[in-house]
Amino acid sequence: MESYKQLFNEYIAMYRPYINKLNALLASYNLTTAQWSIMFLIFREGAKTIGDISLYQNVEKPTTTKLVQKLIDLGYVEIHVGNDKRVKIVQLSEEGAKVYGQVREKIDHFQKGLSEGISEEERLVVARVLKEISSKL
Amino acid sequence: MESYKQLFNEYIAMYRPYINKLNALLASYNLTTAQWSIMFLIFREGAKTIGDISLYQNVEKPTTTKLVQKLIDLGYVEIHVGNDKRVKIVQLSEEGAKVYGQVREKIDHFQKGLSEGISEEERLVVARVLKEISSKL
DNA sequence: CCTCATTAGTTAGTTAGGGAAACTAATTAT
DNA sequence: ATAATTAGTTTCCCTAACTAACTAATGAGG
């Protein structure tokens, strides 16, 4: 099989097993991957509006609204209105920051385990190539 | 950021844009990525039972049942009962094989475009690393 | 200042894909 | 012959996604 086909095949083949394991890991915090991914974003990049989150995540705003609503229910994020009273700025709550740290540890451990035996160079090649492909999408 | 984090971040970031483009490309054949992925499997590996398909795809059998049902409705696959009358063997229909070829061409073109500028070695590294990670999942 | 267009977010309704539990029918083992 | 197992289906539910239509706030042009 041509190398580009191998690449995309392996890419797709890995997705469901990976997400399932991740969801299993998140389940004890009542989180799903989609919700976690928003927490991760606002941890890394700081407070963000619903619109910004949607852009970063490549989803429509209604999807973000609902995920953020769940995170509010869980007490992991809080919202404040901006100067422009239409926008809602989402950030981690104190509880959310605590949970973030705990989950982050678990995920680190999980991901480290998966990358054992893969050299630093190879990891960087994979990260760079995937980023390069993303940029064309 | 540590290299393993970069790897998994880029992996996740690429998923939705990639699947969306793929679905857009498949839409003219009334196919979705999940359905296509079954056609791809039985093209590569030959006729397969519902159970085998579920194993390969890492999904539960009810999911496969439904996807295969759609493919039958579309006329792209057909089923015949095995010696064991419980099993249903799924294979591409004549129409399905024709459509497979057409779609394959489009996807090849799409994937080739995305992998332009990525060297053969790099492609193989990515494929191998992703496969290695999959094997641990 | 009004009016009107635009923007941010929400609501309502739909869809695809997935899973668990309970089922039927066929097969295998005791 | 009966019991256990297996293959696939049905039913019912969930998550994550979308579009279309909405509300409320802002901003621009007259």
Side-chain angles (χ1 to χ4, degrees), chain B residues 32 34 59-60 63 66 83-86:
Chain B
T32 63
V59 297
E60 298 302 316
T63 302
K66 287 167 217 159
N83 284 355
D84 180 334
K85 281 170 193 157
R86 288 168 307 178

Side-chain angles (χ1 to χ4, degrees), chain A residues 12-28:
Chain A
I12 290 297
M14 174 178 148
Y15 188 75
R16 290 191 35 68
Y18 178 68
I19 290 295
N20 284 345
K21 284 269 178 95
L22 211 49
N23 276 330
L25 195 150
L26 292 169
S28 41

Side-chain angles (χ1 to χ4, degrees), chain A residues 25-72:
Chain A
L25 195 150
L26 292 169
S28 41
Y29 300 91
N30 297 307
L31 284 170
T32 63
T33 311
Q35 291 156 20
W36 164 255
S37 152
I38 290 178
M39 291 180 69
F40 184 37
L41 172 67
I42 61 184
F43 176 85
R44 264 184 308 164
E45 313 261 330
K48 288 263 165 295
T49 69
I50 301 280
D52 287 344
I53 295 173
S54 305
L55 281 178
Y56 274 91
Q57 307 284 87
N58 284 293
V59 298
E60 298 302 317
K61 286 187 294 176
T63 302
T64 303
T65 295
K66 285 168 214 156
L67 291 172
V68 166
Q69 190 51 55
K70 274 249 178 68
L71 289 171
I72 293 170

